[in-house]
């Protein structure tokens, strides 16, 4: 078999209407009142002529095409297959993003009516990932050729299949009839726009801090009001705010100096979470990965869980030092977890607007439910081992250099036991019709051998405990792997690893407590933790997406997923801590504001998602640019709302 690709770019010729414009304008020179009107009409005609000429040239090059091209939607391209063979062909396809998948039928192309007279059939193909086309002769089912290619959005392509001089050799040639559009231009424009706003904000803050500007502002207005304006959060990067702790944590009994880097990192995670939940411009990398691997959307929820654990360590230490009893704090932790769980049940079952919730289809797991569980377990562990005083530890003890770990060994032991339970259930629990330790997506994955085994033990436990109707019905694996069984990414088994993620965040909080004001020690330990977790991830995954012992998988919340995201979180938190709290180069704005009101912003964006200004009727719903604009506007609205709430000292505490 001989395979060949031909990539052609055709240029049309354009005709100008300049002479016609001159004749018309010369003939009307005497009528000055109408001169401008005719000139405008001529320019419009010229532009139309230039635009239409290349289109007519493209069409004339392909006289064989008489049928109308299909209407293309987002992430689609048109493919015309021309068959000059004497037998019909069966066309199949497989996504390059689908691991060990079966080819899926695309269609049948009949045999050509005669020599040099091809039959043609139009198909629509996806453009999110590269695909491989397989062409087989019918009815013998002999493979003629395979064509791997990454089609571009809204591009028009032709695949020519014909015999060469030797009738036994088949040639498959791919031709570009019309160039695809660049669907990533809106991202570049948005990046430049927000970068420009950030630069202008930084310049404005610098100007406001100049002594000359200060003196002018003092003369123009009240000195007290001007001082408030100059030292507001938009102007002074080092200002610390003495407010309540994280919105899902207890209020501190005494105000303490708050680390802005924690709220900034939490707010960054929350803003990205809101953006991807609103659609992320309908780009595939702003959606959750279909199975193994990572996208931008897969980063933010674990980071939010991580920073929640960090806040637990700081908050409980402050409350214990202020004299609160462990039993009272435990009672508050249970009550807050229950509140979070109930709120989560309400917002993920949106038919509450249409009447009472229906138990028959009530989804039980969810994001806030996962947060409630992780918060409760980690808070209980920390209450069992936390020290009210850290300034009386013996500095000559052998364990002192690693005190932030060894002092809390009972909690570490509990977490290790929980991970052993996760490993045993994942790899040893018998699942009907599935091999032990199966971590695949089911569907057409793994050559279609286990179509009903999505998630292995994790999916089986959810369906057994909760029932098919009470878990997520449209998992991310449905698009690529064509799964048809329910699977919940916030399921029961994965909750064990979310506790590990929160506990690693708790460890970051212990580092901050035991090395208070020792900036180099804090950053060094963050980097060491990042290195250790990164090495563990490399071993578990064997530095590959699909071939590791435990692949990185957000749907399963696999162990490697937690270690990889915790590695990133330690490094990112260390960087933000250095920039915001140590050097004061950045105030944390605008992410600092949603970080101070995280639960309110999350619940609000879920409940009001379908209302203006967070959503409106688009002119072209098949445009990445319009979706990106809508999603960025909606996310920016929530950032602005969080700023207004912050300025008015409104914080939602549960």
């Amino acid at each position: 078999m001989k395979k060949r690709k031909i990539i052609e770019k055709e240029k049309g010729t354009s005709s100008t209407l300049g002479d016609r414009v001159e004749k018309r304008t010369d003939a009307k020179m005497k009528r000055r009142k109408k001169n401008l009107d005719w000139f405008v009409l001529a320019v419009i005609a010229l532009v139309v002529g230039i635009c239409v000429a290349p289109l007519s040239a493209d069409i004339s090059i392909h006289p064989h095409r008489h049928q109308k091209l299909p209407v293309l939607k987002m992430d689609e391209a048109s493919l015309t297959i021309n068959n000059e063979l004497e037998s019909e062909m069966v066309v199949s396809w497989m996504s390059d993003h689908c691991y060990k998948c079966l080819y899926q039928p695309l269609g049948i192309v009949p045999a050509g009516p005669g020599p040099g007279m091809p039959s043609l059939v139009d198909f629509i193909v996806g453009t999110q990932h590269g695909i491989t086309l397989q062409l087989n002769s019918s009815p013998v089912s002999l493979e003629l050729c395979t064509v791997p290619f990454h089609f571009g959005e809204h591009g028009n392509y032709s695949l020519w299949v014909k015999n060469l001089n030797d009738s036994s050799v088949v040639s498959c040639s791919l031709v570009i009839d019309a160039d695809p559009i660049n669907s990533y231009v809106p991202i570049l424009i948005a990046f430049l726009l927000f970068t420009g706003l950030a630069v202008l904000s930084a310049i404005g803050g610098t100007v406001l801090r100049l002594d000359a500007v200060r003196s002018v502002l003092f003369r123009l207005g009240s000195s007290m009001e001007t001082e408030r304006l100059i030292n507001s959060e938009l102007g002074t990067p080092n200002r610390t705010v003495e407010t309540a702790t994280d919105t899902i944590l207890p209020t501190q009994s005494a105000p303490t100096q708050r680390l802005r880097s924690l709220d900034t990192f939490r707010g960054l995670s929350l803003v990205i979470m809101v953006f991807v939940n609103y659609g992320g411009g309908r780009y595939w990398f702003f959606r959750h990965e279909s199975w193994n691997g990572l996208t931008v959307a897969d980063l933010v929820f674990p980071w939010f869980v991580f920073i929640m654990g960090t806040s637990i360590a700081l908050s409980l230490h402050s409350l214990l030092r202020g004299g609160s009893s462990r039993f009272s704090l435990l009672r508050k932790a249970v009550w807050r977890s229950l509140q979070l769980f109930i709120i989560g049940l309400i917002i993920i079952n949106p038919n509450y607007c249409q009447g009472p919730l229906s138990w028959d289809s009530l989804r039980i797991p969810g994001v806030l439910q996962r947060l409630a569980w992780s918060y409760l377990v980690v808070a209980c562990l920390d209450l069992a081992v936390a020290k009210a005083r850290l300034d009386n530890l013996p500095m000559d003890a052998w364990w002192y250099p690693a005190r932030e770990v060894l002092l809390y060994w009972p909690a570490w032991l509990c977490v290790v036991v929980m991970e052993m339970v996760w490993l045993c259930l994942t790899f040893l629990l018998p699942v009907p019709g599935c091999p032990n330790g199966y971590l695949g997506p089911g569907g057409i994955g793994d050559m279609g051998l286990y179509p009903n085994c999505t998630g292995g033990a994790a999916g089986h436990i959810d369906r057994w405990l909760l029932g098919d109707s009470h878990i997520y019905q449209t998992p991310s694996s449905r698009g690529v792997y064509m799964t048809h069984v329910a699977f919940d990414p916030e399921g029961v088994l994965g909750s064990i690893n979310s506790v590990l993620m929160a506990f690693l965040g708790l460890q970051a909080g212990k580092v901050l407590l035991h090395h208070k004001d020792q900036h180099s020690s804090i950053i060094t330990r963050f980097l060491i933790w990042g290195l250790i977790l990164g090495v563990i991830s490399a071993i578990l995954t064997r530095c590959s997406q699909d071939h590791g012992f435990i692949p990185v998988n957000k749907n399963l919340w696999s162990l490697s997923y937690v270690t990889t995201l915790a590695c990133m979180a330690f490094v990112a938190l260390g960087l933000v801590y250095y920039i915001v709290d140590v050097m004061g180069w950045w105030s944390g704005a605008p992410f600092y504001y949603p970080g101070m009101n995280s639960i309110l912003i999350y619940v609000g964006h879920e409940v009001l998602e379908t209302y203006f200004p967070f959503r409106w009727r688009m002119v072209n719903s098949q445009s990445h640019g319009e979706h990106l604009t809508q999603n960025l506007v909606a996310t920016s609205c929530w950032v602005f709302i969080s700023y207004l709430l912050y300025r008015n000292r409104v914080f939602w505490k549960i």
Side-chain angles (χ1 to χ4, degrees):
M1 273 186 299
K2 182 178 180 182
K3 294 183 286 185
R4 183 181 62 182
K5 296 181 185 177
I6 303 175
I7 309 299
E8 297 180 351
K9 294 184 179 179
E10 301 169 354
K11 299 180 179 178
T13 60
S14 61
S15 61
T16 64
L17 302 177
D19 295 336
R20 194 177 304 169
V21 172
E22 290 183 2
K23 292 179 180 180
R24 290 178 178 175
T25 54
D26 289 341
K28 303 296 179 180
M29 282 296 292
K30 295 181 180 180
R31 300 181 182 179
R32 295 182 179 180
K33 294 182 180 181
K34 296 184 179 180
N35 186 28
L36 182 59
D37 295 338
W38 282 108
F39 180 75
V40 171
L41 290 174
V43 171
I44 293 175
L46 178 62
V47 173
V48 171
I50 293 175
C51 295
V52 171
L55 179 62
S56 61
D58 281 344
I59 295 174
S60 63
I61 290 177
H62 300 280
H64 65 274
R65 180 173 298 175
H66 301 290
Q67 55 189 21
K68 185 179 180 180
L69 292 175
V71 177
L72 298 175
K73 298 180 181 180
M74 192 183 306
D75 298 321
E76 290 183 347
S78 172
L79 173 66
T80 301
I81 298 182
N82 302 268
N83 182 16
E84 293 188 7
L85 304 181
E86 297 178 355
S87 61
E88 68 177 17
M89 297 185 307
V90 177
V91 184
S92 306
W93 70 280
M94 179 180 64
S95 171
D96 296 345
H97 209 62
C98 195
Y99 179 64
K100 290 184 177 180
C101 287
L102 295 171
Y103 277 95
Q104 299 302 301
L106 184 62
I108 297 177
V109 183
M117 299 175 61
S119 64
L120 58 90
V121 178
D122 287 326
F123 298 101
I124 294 178
V125 293
T127 61
Q128 289 188 348
H129 308 288
I131 66 174
T132 299
L133 296 172
Q134 184 185 67
L135 284 74
N136 294 335
S137 63
S138 178
V140 185
S141 189
L142 175 67
E143 182 178 310
L144 301 175
C145 62
T146 57
V147 182
F149 194 74
H150 194 160
F151 295 92
E153 184 174 352
H154 292 180
N156 293 328
Y157 302 85
S158 293
L159 180 61
W160 291 80
V161 183
K162 54 187 175 181
N163 289 116
L164 296 180
N165 296 331
D166 185 353
S167 60
S168 63
V169 179
V170 176
S171 169
C172 298
S173 305
L174 190 66
V175 179
I176 297 179
D177 298 324
D179 290 328
I181 64 173
N182 189 344
S183 59
Y184 302 115
V185 170
I187 296 180
L188 176 61
I189 295 174
F191 173 78
L192 295 177
L193 176 62
F194 281 96
T195 301
L197 292 175
V199 171
L200 291 177
S201 177
I203 294 174
T206 303
V207 171
L208 286 177
R209 288 191 294 271
L210 296 176
D211 292 336
V213 177
R214 284 173 177 263
S215 62
V216 171
L217 291 177
F218 271 115
R219 290 194 210 97
L220 291 177
S222 164
S223 61
M224 182 178 298
E225 179 64 16
T226 305
E227 183 67 31
R228 186 194 65 78
L229 174 64
I230 299 275
N231 292 328
S232 67
E233 294 307 324
L234 293 178
T236 303
N238 325 353
R239 182 179 174 190
T240 57
V241 181
E242 298 175 355
T243 60
T245 55
D246 182 36
T247 49
I248 64 171
L249 298 175
T251 305
Q252 296 184 9
S253 57
T256 57
Q257 187 180 40
R258 188 182 182 99
L259 291 174
R260 296 181 66 93
S261 56
L262 300 185
D263 294 307
T264 301
F265 188 64
R266 183 190 299 109
L268 174 64
S269 303
L270 181 60
V271 168
I272 300 176
M273 188 186 300
V274 171
F275 173 67
V276 299
N277 285 351
Y278 276 164
R282 298 298 189 269
Y283 291 101
W284 68 268
F285 42 81
F286 289 140
R287 296 178 177 178
H288 292 295
E289 184 58 86
S290 55
W291 200 247
N292 295 334
L294 286 176
T295 63
V296 176
D298 298 324
L299 307 179
V300 289
F301 185 30
W303 286 354
F304 196 87
V305 175
F306 180 92
I307 209 67
M308 181 186 68
T310 307
S311 299
I312 289 174
L314 301 180
S315 176
L316 293 184
H317 171 74
S318 175
L319 291 166
L320 289 172
R321 189 169 184 176
S324 299
S325 67
R326 296 178 189 267
F327 180 76
S328 65
L329 294 179
L330 176 61
R331 187 172 63 249
K332 291 178 181 179
V334 172
W335 174 235
R336 288 184 176 88
S337 299
L338 181 60
Q339 286 179 290
L340 273 178
F341 192 91
I342 294 174
I343 294 173
L345 278 180
I346 294 174
I347 66 173
I348 66 171
N349 295 279
N351 58 339
Y352 59 82
C353 293
Q354 304 169 3
L357 291 174
S358 173
W359 176 253
D360 294 338
S361 59
L362 182 75
R363 180 188 172 194
I364 298 176
V367 171
L368 290 184
Q369 295 90 311
R370 175 70 63 87
L371 284 175
W373 160 257
S374 304
Y375 169 69
L376 178 62
V377 174
V378 173
C380 290
L381 290 175
D382 195 39
L383 282 173
V385 298
K387 309 296 181 183
R389 297 287 301 275
L390 300 177
D391 52 1
N392 58 354
L393 300 177
M395 300 181 63
D396 56 347
W398 64 270
W399 46 263
Y400 189 79
R403 58 194 180 279
E404 64 268 20
V405 176
L406 298 180
L407 271 178
Y408 312 103
W409 66 267
W412 276 100
L413 181 61
C414 292
V415 172
V416 170
V417 170
M418 293 179 68
E419 282 306 307
M420 294 300 297
V421 171
W422 182 86
L423 289 170
C424 291
L425 289 175
T426 299
F427 291 99
L428 300 180
L429 180 69
V431 179
C434 309
N436 283 354
Y438 182 72
L439 299 176
I444 63 173
D446 298 295
M447 307 309 295
L449 297 176
Y450 317 110
N452 299 320
C453 294
T454 303
H460 177 66
I461 290 175
D462 288 341
R463 291 187 286 272
W464 176 61
L465 286 178
L466 306 176
D468 283 339
S469 59
H470 298 299
I471 59 179
Y472 194 45
Q473 300 299 310
T474 55
S476 60
S477 58
R478 179 160 297 187
V480 173
Y481 289 94
M482 301 182 185
T483 59
H484 56 270
V485 296
F487 180 82
D488 206 307
E490 277 77 50
V492 175
L493 193 57
S495 298
I496 296 177
N497 283 341
S498 70
V499 170
L500 173 61
M501 190 73 188
F503 189 78
L504 291 172
L506 182 82
Q507 185 59 42
K510 298 300 183 184
V511 171
L512 291 170
L513 288 172
H514 284 275
H515 301 273
K516 185 178 180 181
D517 297 328
Q518 301 175 26
H519 304 313
S520 59
S521 296
I522 291 173
I523 295 174
T524 299
R525 280 166 170 76
F526 281 176
L527 294 178
I528 290 174
W529 272 107
L531 177 62
I532 293 172
L533 293 168
V535 170
I536 294 174
S537 297
I539 294 173
L540 292 176
T541 63
R542 294 197 289 187
C543 298
S544 67
Q545 178 171 317
D546 299 300
H547 300 92
F549 303 108
I550 303 178
V552 173
N553 190 295
K554 189 267 178 188
N555 285 286
L556 299 173
W557 271 69
S558 63
L559 180 59
S560 60
Y561 175 70
V562 171
T563 56
T564 301
L565 271 296
C567 165
M568 296 181 183
F570 269 109
V571 175
L573 181 58
L575 180 62
V576 175
Y577 173 77
Y578 179 76
I579 294 174
V580 174
D581 288 320
V582 178
M583 302 304 298
W585 291 338
W586 179 32
S587 67
F591 304 113
Y592 176 75
Y593 309 117
M596 291 287 292
N597 243 326
S598 54
I599 300 301
L600 189 150
I601 298 301
Y602 181 82
V603 173
H605 102 275
E606 287 279 2
V607 174
L608 301 177
E609 176 183 1
T610 58
Y611 295 91
F612 182 84
F614 311 108
R615 181 172 296 179
W616 59 83
R617 186 184 300 275
M618 289 181 286
V619 177
N620 181 10
S621 62
Q622 299 302 319
S623 167
H624 280 292
E626 288 203 42
H627 280 282
L628 183 66
T629 301
Q630 186 181 82
N631 302 150
L632 287 175
V633 168
T635 306
S636 301
C637 285
W638 283 114
V639 173
F640 182 66
I641 291 172
S642 67
Y643 171 72
L644 295 179
L645 294 172
Y646 173 81
R647 297 302 299 171
N648 290 278
R649 323 309 290 174
V650 177
F651 303 100
W652 186 25
K653 299 180 288 293
I654 60 174

